[in-house]
Amino acid sequence: MGDFLNTDIKFLKGVGERRAKTLAAELDIRTFRDLLYYFPFRHVDRSRFYKIAELNPDMPLVQIVGRFISFQIEGEGAKRRLHGVFSDGSRLMECVWFSKVDALKDAYRTGVDYVIFGKPVLYRSIYSISHPEVSQYDPNKPALGFMGVYNISEKMRKGGYASRLFPALIKNITANPRFNNIPSVLPVEVRDRYRLMPLKEALVQMHSPENPDLLAKARERMKFEELFYLQLHILRFSRERGRKIQGLIFPVIGKYFNDYFFNCIPFELTGAQKRVLKEIRADMRTGRQMNRLLQGDVGSGKTMVGFMSMLMAIDNGFQAAMMAPTEILATQHYETISKWGSMIGLRVELLTGSVRAKKRREIDEGLRSGAIHILIGTHALIEDNVVFGNLGLVVIDEQHRFGVAQRAKMWKKGAVPPHVLVMTATPIPRTLAMTVYGDLDVSVIDELPPGRKPIETLLRYDENRMEVNRLIARELAAGRQIYIVYPLIQENEKLELKSVEEGQERIRNLFPEVEVCCVHGRMKPEEKDFQMEKFVSGKARILVATTVIEVGVNVPNASVMVIENAERFGLSQLHQLRGRVGRGSDKSYCILMTKYKTGADTKKRLSIMTETTDGFLISEADMKLRGPGDMEGTQQSGLAFELKVASLTSDGQILNIAREAAEKVLNAHPELVAGEVSPYDKTGEKIMLSPGSLNVVRRELHFRFSREVDWSLIS
Ligand code: ADP
Ligand code: MG
């Protein structure tokens, strides 16, 4: 019966070959199951009509009954648009369309009762809805009730897809008699124990709920399902590790550490850095493998902590490696760390994809013989042909680019796996991080190095350009460097290129006396590095770039970060970008540029940036604003998994229950952990599963995570 859910989506009534292609390409929906699990990101109340007088700018989508009073076409060319004045009998509002202007003007009539539906925006004290859904009002038709609103891509929208298509398509699945026999996903023992709604009912309610209560129950069940399997996966992994994986023991703090600490370190460590180093030291002498997540806001000094941890390994006769997500970042770490290392006679090497054969042979030899103390690099480090003599510690920078599987791969690099320190600037609340990562311990650097001048964040509109240019000129005159960042435009790479190139042109004309360099996503890596190097060395004073500079680049002399089209960035991204300045002792500025005409929502969002520099607050606000349906949001939260329904910030309670359930199941069924019987089977409370349920669990784990973790790597 599982076959029903695996049916190719093109066979669904209302889809067909062409739509199926689009669904696959844009939303990764290929089967009935994919579609059923493509949940609305919110629901709208279409059980009632609103009056214009009741509207407020915070409202989601609403429906209003009334008539169009007049239509008018305004603007020329690309700016051509249709305005309609709409009245509900007592007040007026506006509707605007930017495409199909002529067709719509002919299609809609004045003096006819319509229902308009959309998001009201307050602009110059009149409400307007752009591209409302318009349908004829029929007082005899039953109300629509609660309806799902689905995320669809811009491409799909242009191709005529609308959110309202989804409930109908989903009904075509749920109305099929075979839907009644879909296999269960949660073991029935677990479902009953936690009184969760059955899957079939939950799926139906998720898309077209009968009422808010049933929707809440359905959401609870789907969140539980998602978190239960996530927890099961993580726990299984950490139990496996706890049982099998011994750690190297580093008993001494020796000559390298002490020499560096007492004679070479260029600054006093902050209290938080010292505390974290103690935690790491304690971990590495226990005989268990360290797997520690080090969280610290941008600029909090994680690199130094990583470096000094490596000294602990080296003092005990081991080698250390540091892995970074990009070549630019790896190179920068290499420069910093080889400088620090050379003071105490360490050999540090850089290994990236672009290292030539001769140099590569040298590195290979140095690694095997142990002559190289520290190896820095990109993904290239995890290739099987990189062989260390005795690797003791791996430091991974900016964790969210590396999944569990990649970490596991590093473990294979020694007879006893090395300790692992994962550093990230992505702030997730501490308790949450522990529960979600499960297999990682967490350290936090919650203090910035002293003497930093706060960064002044300014929100500026296009018409303030003169003022912004004056500020840039002033900073240039004082010898500082400037970042100017444009958004990545994935749907339209040409447009992206155009905006960066035009920006660069404009800047060159404005500041002809300084060198301007440029980095964007479509460049070859060598060209990128070449350009980046100009900025890092200080030769170029202005860097125009897309977000490739987001992670980790350190140029303390840079004092201004201008972010163009700031509204196109997520808050966490803006925070990361802002962290590129304020690294020296001079006052720094982050300028968020937007068009004057941004909505109230955007303004509210961006003003969070001007109000706080606390990464935790910003990431929480970001997650709340983006909602759980946003994939980028979950990526940014640092998870290697995509959460579809559950939210890290608001579902802590369900997360705890799901974790407890997963623990109890594992206690009863140690065979779910790969390999021999684990010592955990004697401890803790258990939930016994029937053989059928066990199969359900195995199948789901495989289905959900087999692409993520290759178990053979750690057994
Ligand atoms: P991040 O945590 O974002 O990776 P970095 O490690 O790049 O931060 O550190 C940011 C800057 O702060 C670097 O120039 C670094 O040398 C400096 N720094 C780190 N720790 C201290 C400290 N305790 N006192 C003064 N400066 C420090
Ligand atoms: Mg860093």
Side-chain angles (χ1 to χ4, degrees), residues 25 91 112 115 156 217 298 318 337 341-342 373 429 466 489 572 574 632 638 696:
R91 292 221 191 174
V112 174
V115 178
M156 294 179 74
K217 287 228 168 66
V298 280
F318 287 91
I337 285 173
S342 69
H373 297 99
M466 293 289 278
I489 308 169
S572 301
L574 291 174
E632 205 196 351
V696 167

Side-chain angles (χ1 to χ4, degrees), residues 571-583:
L571 289 183
S572 301
Q573 248 179 325
L574 291 174
H575 181 64
Q576 286 281 332
L577 284 170
R578 179 168 60 186
R580 298 306 111 217
V581 294
R583 303 189 143 235

Side-chain angles (χ1 to χ4, degrees), residues 256 303 306-315 318-323 333-334 336-342 344-351 363 366-367 370-377 381 388 390-391 393-395:
Y256 289 116
T303 318
F307 174 66
M308 297 197 65
S309 308
M310 295 200 273
L311 297 184
M312 296 180 198
I314 299 166
D315 271 336
F318 287 91
Q319 294 165 297
M322 182 185 259
M323 188 152 77
H333 278 321
Y334 169 71
T336 310
I337 285 173
S338 56
K339 195 175 75 199
W340 293 343
S342 69
I344 48 174
L346 292 180
R347 178 162 167 209
V348 181
E349 293 285 356
L350 175 68
L351 179 64
I363 291 179
L367 282 180
I372 294 176
H373 297 99
I374 296 175
L375 183 67
I376 311 231
L381 289 197
F388 291 81
N390 54 351
L391 182 61
L393 169 69
V394 180
V395 179

Side-chain angles (χ1 to χ4, degrees), residues 108-224:
Y108 299 146
R109 282 166 296 154
T110 53
V112 174
D113 284 332
Y114 284 113
V115 178
I116 60 166
F117 175 66
K119 160 101 182 105
V121 175
L122 190 58
Y123 180 61
R124 296 202 174 134
S125 65
I126 180 157
Y127 278 97
S128 79
I129 298 183
S130 43
H131 289 264
E133 191 186 310
V134 179
S135 51
Q136 272 205 19
Y137 175 60
D138 178 355
N140 302 317
K141 228 167 77 183
L144 283 165
F146 289 84
M147 302 231 334
V149 184
Y150 297 79
N151 257 328
I152 53 178
S153 71
E154 200 50 43
K155 248 192 206 149
M156 294 179 74
R157 210 180 300 279
K158 287 197 182 120
Y161 271 85
S163 166
R164 65 174 181 280
L165 195 67
F166 283 83
L169 292 179
I170 281 152
K171 239 175 221 131
N172 289 343
I173 302 178
T174 55
N176 189 314
R178 293 177 68 193
F179 179 72
N180 287 322
N181 299 324
I182 60 168
S184 52
V185 165
L186 282 175
V188 62
E189 295 83 354
V190 169
R191 199 196 77 198
D192 289 351
R193 170 106 159 221
Y194 296 94
R195 296 199 187 83
L196 298 165
M197 186 185 265
L199 178 62
K200 272 174 295 189
E201 194 184 340
L203 287 174
V204 171
Q205 296 294 336
M206 284 298 282
H207 293 285
S208 307
E210 268 165 65
N211 61 50
D213 283 348
L214 285 175
L215 173 61
K217 287 228 168 66
R219 289 184 67 86
E220 183 189 88
R221 185 239 138 81
M222 298 315 303
K223 286 174 179 178
F224 183 96

